[in-house]
Amino acid sequence: KLRNCEKESSGINAEYGGDQDPPIPQRVFWALVEGATATALLVAGGADSVYALQTASVAAGLPYTIILCFVCISTWRALAMECGDLDPYGPDFAVSLIDPFCTLQPRLWFSFLKNIFLAPVTLYDVLKQHKQKPLFPAIGAALCWTLWVVLIIAEIVHIYHPDVKIAGIYSLAWVFFLGFVTIVTVARSTIRGEYGINGNTIEDFFAALLVYPAVLMQLETVSEKGGIAALRPDQGLGGGGGGGG
C-alpha cells in the first residue's frame, strides 16, 4: 500500500508539476495528503464513504467525457479545414443544434419541446418529405423510444417500491435508447448527404445521442435553406452564396 501511495503521489507531481522525478519532500507531502484524506473518510463514515467518493469521482468524469467527444470532433474539423479537405463555407443546416438554447425564437423552442415527445412522428414526416421510405424507421423509432421511456419509469418505480422485482431494468432501457439514436443517426446522415452538408457519421451519432430533439429540428428545417452555403467573407451582400464542398 505504501508503494502504491508513493506511485500515486509521484504521478500527481508529474501531472501538475511536469517533473517526472519530483523531489522527495514534494512526494512526501502528497502522500501525507492522500493518507490524511483517506483516514478522514474512514473515520467519518467508514468504508461506505470511500465507496461514495469513488462513485462521485466516476460521476464527475461523465460531463468531461461528453465534452471530450465534442473536442475530438472539433479537432478533426479544424485539421480537415486546415488541410483543405473540408470547406468551412460549404452547405449547412438552416439552424444549429444550440439555437434553441441561445436564441430568442419561440418557434425553435416549440419545435425542440415537441420533438422530445413526438420524435417518431417528426422522423416520419421528414423522411417522407425527402422521398425516403418512412414507415419502418418511424415504427422502429417509436418502439425503441416508447420502451425506453416505459423501462425508465419501471426503474423509478422499483427505486421507491423495492418489492417490485425489476432491478437493473434501466440497462435494457438504454439499449432501446441506443437503438432509437441509431435510427435518428441514419436519418441525419442520409439527409445531410443529400444536401452535401459537411459532417460524418460519428458527429451524427453524438448529436442524436445528446440532443436528439435538436437533430430532428434540424431535419425539419433543412429544406428551408436547402443546403445553401454560408456567405463567404470575400463576397459582398449582393453576391450569391458560395458553393461548398
Side-chain angles (χ1 to χ4, degrees):
K1 290 184 179 179
L2 289 175
R3 181 170 296 180
N4 290 337
C5 188
E6 181 182 1
K7 288 181 179 178
E8 291 176 4
S9 61
S10 298
I12 292 174
N13 284 288
E15 181 177 356
Y16 291 99
D19 188 358
Q20 297 298 324
D21 188 19
I24 292 178
Q26 194 171 357
R27 279 186 279 179
V28 170
F29 169 77
W30 283 112
L32 290 174
V33 170
E34 291 176 13
T37 302
T39 302
L41 287 171
L42 289 172
V43 171
D48 291 340
S49 62
V50 178
Y51 297 144
L53 180 62
Q54 292 175 340
T55 303
S57 63
V58 172
L62 181 60
Y64 177 74
T65 302
I66 296 174
I67 294 172
L68 190 60
C69 292
F70 283 109
V71 169
C72 291
I73 296 296
S74 300
T75 303
W76 172 83
R77 274 185 172 270
L79 292 174
M81 292 177 185
E82 184 70 20
C83 295
D85 296 333
L86 192 67
D87 184 4
Y89 303 105
D92 202 355
F93 287 104
V95 295
S96 169
L97 290 173
I98 63 173
D99 279 352
F101 311 104
C102 60
T103 59
L104 298 176
Q105 299 187 44
R107 180 177 68 94
L108 297 183
W109 301 343
F110 174 77
S111 178
F112 186 90
L113 293 175
K114 179 199 70 174
N115 289 328
I116 292 177
F117 305 102
L118 298 177
V121 176
T122 301
L123 185 65
Y124 178 87
D125 293 338
V126 167
L127 292 176
K128 185 177 180 181
Q129 178 184 0
H130 290 85
K131 310 300 181 184
Q132 304 291 328
K133 296 180 179 179
L135 186 59
F136 289 111
I139 292 176
L143 287 175
C144 290
W145 187 89
T146 303
L147 289 171
W148 169 56
V149 173
V150 169
L151 293 177
I152 289 294
I153 293 174
E155 179 64 23
I156 295 174
V157 170
H158 170 70
I159 292 174
Y160 291 98
H161 300 278
D163 53 308
V164 181
K165 305 299 181 182
I166 50 174
I169 200 70
Y170 67 91
S171 57
L172 186 59
W174 290 109
V175 170
F176 284 112
F177 179 71
L178 287 177
F180 167 76
V181 166
T182 301
I183 295 172
V184 176
T185 298
V186 173
R188 188 178 195 263
S189 180
T190 302
I191 294 174
R192 180 176 51 75
E194 180 180 330
Y195 288 95
I197 296 174
N198 291 327
N200 57 60
T201 306
I202 297 177
E203 290 184 10
D204 298 332
F205 176 78
F206 281 116
L209 180 68
L210 300 176
V211 281
Y212 75 86
V215 169
L216 292 168
M217 179 192 66
Q218 281 188 325
L219 301 183
E220 278 185 302
T221 57
V222 66
S223 60
E224 297 177 4
K225 194 175 181 181
I228 298 176
L231 185 66
R232 293 177 180 272
D234 56 351
Q235 290 177 334
L237 294 177

